[in-house]
Amino acid sequence: MTRKLTATLLASCFFVAVNAQTDIWRTDSLQEVVVTGTGTEHLLKNAPVQTEVITSKMLRNYAGKSLEDILSGLMPSFSFNEDDMGSQMQMNGLGNSYILILIDGKRIHGDVGGQNDLSLIDPQNIEKIEVVKGASSALYGSDAIAGVVNIITKRHDQDGVLVENTSRVGSYGDLRQHNGLALKFGKVSSYTNFQLQHSDGWQNTAVEHTEGSEPPITDSRNKTVNRHTNWQVSEHLTYTPVKNLELYADGSIYWKRIYRPSGKYAHYDVKTYDMKYRNASLSAGGKWKLNKTDNITLDIDWNRHAYYYHFTATTLVEDYEKSKGTIYYPYFPYLPSQEELQSDQQRTMAHLKGVFSLPYENRLSAGLEYRYDWLEAPNRVEGGTVSDWTAALYVQDEFNLIPHINITAGLRLNQNEQFGTRLTPKVSAMWSIGNPWRLRATWSQGFKTPTTKELFYRYVRQMSGTYLYLGNTDLKPQASNYYGISGEYTWQGLSVTVSTYYNKVDDMIALVTIPNYQAPDEYIAMYDPVKTRQYQNIEDAKTYGVDVNVRHTWKEFAYGIGYSWLDTEANQYDTTHDKMTKVTIDGMAHHKGNLFATWTHAFSPDYTLGLGVYGKFSSKRYYQIDGDGKGYQTWRLSTTHDFGHSKTMTYRAEAGIDNIFNYADRTPHGLHLGTTTPGRTFYVSFSIRFNKGKKLRNNYKSNLNTRDNEEN
């Protein structure tokens, strides 16, 4: 599988590169304005920090149903393995807790078992996605050791009224609904967004893995993906009292329920409660433009993520906290429809930032941040509640030492309540070698303190038996050193990028299986687990690899290929045998790739057809326990139809087939999967957009283009 996959990818890469030397024209993606790498605006071709972009055109052609679908389908360095506890995302070998997810530059908040709930993001409201790989702690702080994914949402900057609706249906009861209402009158504008997502779930196998010598269960009711429903309503208000000052206020509420099957096997598929989530957020701030390049921004936001058990049958629950001081663990009954709070996470953040042009073509960014985290978990944290705060000061300078070489250097001072002070620097350089060639290099350090869950949390998970997960108050902060070099060649419609990286994480925090006798006796007596896992510091961990991306446009065609090679290693202390052992990082796959080919043609002013073929591939994914995930490949066909355009109305239809060749991973429940896809699925969607108003003129992009051309 691995050799065949590598040969296919390399042959395709050679085919694209050879064909690109014939009749081609300039790609628009190089004119994209990006902000994530430096926190300041640059054209993509002149961005000092290597940035990958999924453009609005790519999003429209791909027609993905979710952010997980989009990232895994269009970027080979990403992988997902969705389950009830979240997206299980990885980027270049490091998991979700090391990847910072931003929406318009602000952190997403929606933790589910250590995994962000990416269904908070409405794919119909995404304008583009910017990805910066490697430690970005100097600018963004904790959680950015693997990189940053910045979701840029659509701007509704036209006077008048905008009404939009998208309805999408697919196999297995998949339903996606998006509604938007934008109003702008004078100095005030509003955008209200509603999204609904539902799936009936699916079962790829009825076989359940069992521990020890017990034979596998062959009629389990557990599903590969459970039935689930979630919806969100959000509001964005802006007010422009004077020309160069914009104030805003945001708010949202989010609800999600995961419906779990009830079976007949204790510890395997007996589920007497569903999972329910309630999120809320509030934020306010503003941006003051001092001139064309300088500005000051202030953002203050509060987010809440609450997780409940919603009981579906009468259930007797052992309550450890209520039983303290007794000689036994009493049971407390919960009736159907009653709920029990598992965790309530709340986060408050304040961020003040300024960008200033200095003499000798220096651009300085400086900021102050404060973050307060509060966790309530009555049955999962000793004492019921814990909290933590972090403050930071950072500065970053962009300058040209000599013509054609840009340097970006930053430094962040972190102060954490429990773990003290730490400096994290970052230096990036870009060398423009003539017009088509650019070289970029980055060295950066990352710093990440243990989360309140990693320190204090305790929970039980029913898989192939009872698993007990424990926090660890002896954890040390994690630190990283990242080195990256990339080369880019762009000529008219061709773009070729080769990137290599090395990321060393000291004291990496990972879940480690420990003997039951090393866990507190009261927990073992209470839960009787088949396995106990605890957060511990791994002595050191390394990820290193190479990413290759080739894209090319020719007339009405666009095609490309991406390939990611990855290796990881870590040293872990084996307490049972009192020795150091080498392990791989969970979820790592040596080879991943994707390719695409699209064709768009306007048959008339009233009808445009788009066709796209997409493939993605992964070799085996490695895990320390419960088996490895199988390698796989899947293919997708998408069609888009834009028709009936008028001054006020636009219409769009989409239809496609995902996983054309009907691959499904039939690995028994309780073991790791390569992919959770149910096999071949179909989807159709229809969008209608009413826009009655005059679009505001915006000369910013042309001004930016002029400035960057002058710099080069």
Side-chain angles (χ1 to χ4, degrees):
M1 165 76 182
T2 299
R3 292 180 179 176
K4 187 181 295 184
L5 172 61
T6 305
T8 301
L9 292 170
L10 292 176
S12 301
C13 186
F14 175 77
F15 173 80
V16 171
V18 170
N19 279 273
Q21 305 305 314
T22 58
D23 183 15
I24 58 179
W25 60 12
R26 187 171 184 82
T27 179
D28 291 334
S29 63
L30 297 178
Q31 305 304 309
E32 287 282 341
V33 178
V34 296
V35 298
T36 308
T38 63
T40 56
E41 297 88 350
H42 291 273
L43 293 180
L44 177 59
K45 64 178 182 178
N46 296 326
V49 177
Q50 178 67 38
T51 305
E52 297 181 33
V53 178
I54 299 177
T55 66
S56 58
K57 185 175 182 180
M58 295 167 65
L59 291 169
R60 286 173 61 84
N61 289 337
Y62 188 73
K65 67 179 181 179
S66 65
L67 183 62
E68 295 95 328
D69 186 19
I70 293 166
L71 288 175
S72 63
L74 296 176
M75 286 192 170
S77 52
F78 284 93
S79 59
F80 295 87
N81 203 13
E82 297 177 64
D83 61 18
D84 287 349
M85 302 310 295
S87 301
Q88 308 290 341
M89 175 171 59
Q90 272 201 347
M91 180 172 73
N92 285 350
L94 292 176
N96 185 91
S97 62
Y98 300 95
I99 306 168
L100 180 60
I101 308 294
L102 306 174
I103 300 179
D104 294 326
K106 295 191 296 184
R107 292 167 178 261
I108 186 177
H109 181 68
D111 181 84
V112 184
Q115 306 291 324
N116 279 322
D117 186 357
L118 299 183
S119 60
L120 287 163
I121 301 169
D122 184 354
Q124 296 297 327
N125 198 36
I126 299 176
E127 177 66 23
K128 63 179 178 179
I129 302 171
E130 299 178 8
V131 177
V132 175
K133 297 173 183 174
S136 298
S137 296
L139 192 61
Y140 293 106
S142 185
D143 307 332
I145 285 180
V148 179
V149 179
N150 193 7
I151 312 299
I152 311 297
T153 60
K154 296 177 180 178
R155 286 188 61 87
H156 306 281
D157 55 353
Q158 60 275 323
D159 284 323
V161 179
L162 166 69
V163 181
E164 55 188 6
N165 173 83
T166 298
S167 300
R168 172 181 173 133
V169 295
S171 304
Y172 299 96
D174 189 74
L175 171 65
R176 312 276 164 155
Q177 180 67 36
H178 162 82
N179 298 97
L181 171 64
L183 304 171
K184 182 173 177 62
F185 300 102
K187 298 180 179 181
V188 179
S189 65
S190 164
Y191 182 69
T192 306
N193 182 71
F194 170 79
Q195 65 156 325
L196 170 70
Q197 302 176 11
H198 173 81
S199 172
D200 288 341
W202 57 85
Q203 184 186 55
N204 286 349
T205 179
V207 179
E208 186 89 28
H209 171 71
T210 55
E211 291 290 332
S213 59
E214 295 182 48
I217 294 170
T218 58
D219 58 348
S220 169
R221 298 184 187 179
N222 275 329
K223 291 188 174 183
T224 306
V225 172
N226 283 325
R227 180 185 172 211
H228 57 272
T229 303
N230 62 273
W231 57 262
Q232 182 183 51
V233 178
S234 61
E235 173 66 27
H236 179 73
L237 292 169
T238 60
Y239 173 55
T240 310
V242 294
K243 181 180 180 181
N244 294 324
L245 177 63
E246 181 180 89
L247 306 176
Y248 78 89
D250 285 338
S252 71
I253 55 173
Y254 172 86
W255 179 95
K256 181 175 184 177
R257 182 170 174 180
I258 298 173
Y259 302 86
R260 309 206 302 167
S262 297
K264 57 185 179 181
Y265 301 104
H267 301 297
Y268 292 98
D269 61 354
V270 172
K271 305 295 190 299
T272 60
Y273 57 86
D274 294 337
M275 297 177 176
K276 184 177 281 190
Y277 306 92
R278 297 193 188 102
N279 287 19
S281 69
L282 291 171
S283 62
K287 183 174 185 177
W288 180 22
K289 295 182 180 180
L290 304 176
N291 51 49
K292 288 184 178 180
T293 58
D294 299 357
N295 61 77
I296 297 174
T297 59
L298 173 65
D299 298 292
I300 301 173
D301 63 84
W302 169 84
N303 291 269
R304 181 198 186 205
H305 173 80
Y307 163 42
Y308 299 85
Y309 285 168
H310 181 93
F311 290 92
T312 55
T314 300
T315 306
L316 296 177
V317 178
E318 288 179 313
D319 194 315
Y320 175 73
E321 291 298 319
K322 294 178 181 178
S323 66
K324 280 187 174 180
T326 66
I327 60 174
Y328 63 94
Y329 298 111
Y331 287 87
F332 296 87
Y334 284 88
L335 302 177
S337 297
Q338 286 188 318
E339 295 179 350
E340 180 188 38
L341 176 68
Q342 301 303 304
S343 68
D344 182 357
Q345 301 173 77
Q346 298 186 36
R347 186 197 66 198
T348 303
M349 287 193 67
H351 183 198
L352 176 65
K353 176 185 175 182
V355 178
F356 310 99
S357 297
L358 301 179
Y360 306 105
E361 297 185 357
N362 283 255
R363 186 187 298 181
L364 180 70
S365 301
L368 294 167
E369 281 188 5
Y370 177 80
R371 171 175 172 170
Y372 177 78
D373 289 286
W374 181 83
L375 169 66
E376 178 186 4
N379 291 316
R380 302 188 177 212
V381 168
E382 291 284 349
T385 62
V386 290
S387 63
D388 185 50
W389 62 260
T390 300
L393 165 68
Y394 66 89
V395 292
Q396 175 184 271
D397 191 19
E398 303 172 53
F399 56 94
N400 291 346
L401 283 177
I402 60 176
H404 308 297
I405 294 184
N406 177 277
I407 305 293
T408 301
L411 184 66
R412 186 184 190 93
L413 177 65
N414 297 279
Q415 175 68 40
N416 180 262
E417 177 184 10
Q418 300 184 61
F419 297 99
T421 304
R422 180 65 180 257
L423 283 170
T424 54
K426 177 174 182 176
V427 179
S428 297
M430 182 187 71
W431 181 17
S432 300
I433 311 172
N435 198 27
W437 296 93
R438 284 172 173 78
L439 292 177
R440 295 179 175 89
T442 294
W443 167 71
S444 56
Q445 289 189 340
F447 178 67
K448 179 174 171 58
T449 58
T451 66
T452 51
K453 279 194 171 183
E454 291 167 341
L455 290 167
F456 304 109
Y457 214 54
R458 176 190 75 246
Y459 66 99
V460 171
R461 188 176 182 186
Q462 299 292 346
M463 295 186 291
S464 51
T466 301
Y467 281 39
L468 172 63
Y469 292 82
L470 298 174
N472 185 355
T473 55
D474 294 328
L475 290 174
K476 295 180 289 186
Q478 303 164 92
S480 72
N481 275 279
Y482 175 86
Y483 305 88
I485 299 176
S486 67
E488 179 183 285
Y489 175 80
T490 56
W491 180 60
Q492 298 184 1
L494 173 66
S495 174
V496 180
T497 304
V498 179
S499 305
T500 183
Y501 61 90
Y502 174 86
N503 204 352
K504 183 176 184 295
V505 184
D506 294 322
D507 296 316
M508 181 179 183
I509 295 174
L511 276 169
V512 175
T513 301
I514 63 173
N516 281 351
Y517 66 79
Q518 293 185 3
D521 292 340
E522 62 268 29
Y523 295 162
I524 301 302
M526 183 175 181
Y527 300 114
D528 189 25
V530 297
K531 285 185 181 178
T532 299
R533 308 202 78 195
Q534 185 180 45
Y535 288 105
Q536 293 187 2
N537 291 106
I538 294 177
E539 297 300 316
D540 61 74
K542 305 180 185 71
T543 69
Y544 47 92
V546 178
D547 292 340
V548 180
N549 284 285
V550 181
R551 292 176 182 173
H552 171 229
T553 59
W554 175 64
K555 297 183 179 179
E556 296 175 321
F557 294 90
Y559 45 94
I561 186 169
Y563 170 71
S564 179
W565 175 82
L566 166 71
D567 203 357
T568 69
E569 45 182 90
N571 291 316
Q572 177 181 309
Y573 182 68
D574 185 344
T575 56
T576 303
H577 301 94
D578 192 27
K579 67 177 183 178
M580 198 72 69
T581 59
K582 288 189 177 296
V583 297
T584 59
I585 296 177
D586 277 350
M588 184 272 292
H590 285 302
H591 306 279
K592 295 194 293 291
N594 58 36
L595 55 86
F596 73 91
T598 63
W599 175 66
T600 305
H601 180 72
F603 286 91
S604 71
D606 294 325
Y607 179 67
T608 299
L609 171 67
L611 297 175
V613 177
Y614 301 85
K616 63 179 178 181
F617 319 88
S618 177
S619 60
K620 181 193 296 184
R621 299 185 68 185
Y622 294 89
Y623 294 88
Q624 295 181 42
I625 65 169
D626 296 331
D628 298 325
K630 296 178 181 177
Y632 68 91
Q633 60 173 295
T634 59
W635 293 85
R636 172 191 181 97
L637 172 66
S638 67
T639 69
T640 61
H641 312 263
D642 294 281
F643 54 91
H645 291 188
S646 68
K647 290 183 178 180
T648 58
M649 301 293 296
T650 58
Y651 307 92
R652 179 178 176 88
E654 300 169 351
I657 307 172
D658 209 353
N659 198 349
I660 297 172
F661 299 108
N662 200 30
Y663 173 78
D665 191 337
R666 309 293 183 187
T667 299
H669 297 294
L671 302 178
H672 291 293
L673 304 177
T675 174
T676 57
T677 174
R680 186 184 300 115
T681 58
F682 301 87
Y683 71 88
V684 294
S685 74
F686 183 76
S687 301
I688 184 171
R689 182 183 175 101
F690 171 80
N691 185 2
K692 187 172 180 59
K694 183 178 180 181
K695 189 171 184 179
L696 298 179
R697 186 177 180 182
N698 187 352
N699 292 323
Y700 173 73
K701 188 172 180 179
S702 62
N703 291 336
L704 178 63
N705 188 69
T706 301
R707 188 201 71 204
D708 278 349
N709 287 335
E710 289 173 352
E711 290 178 354
N712 286 278

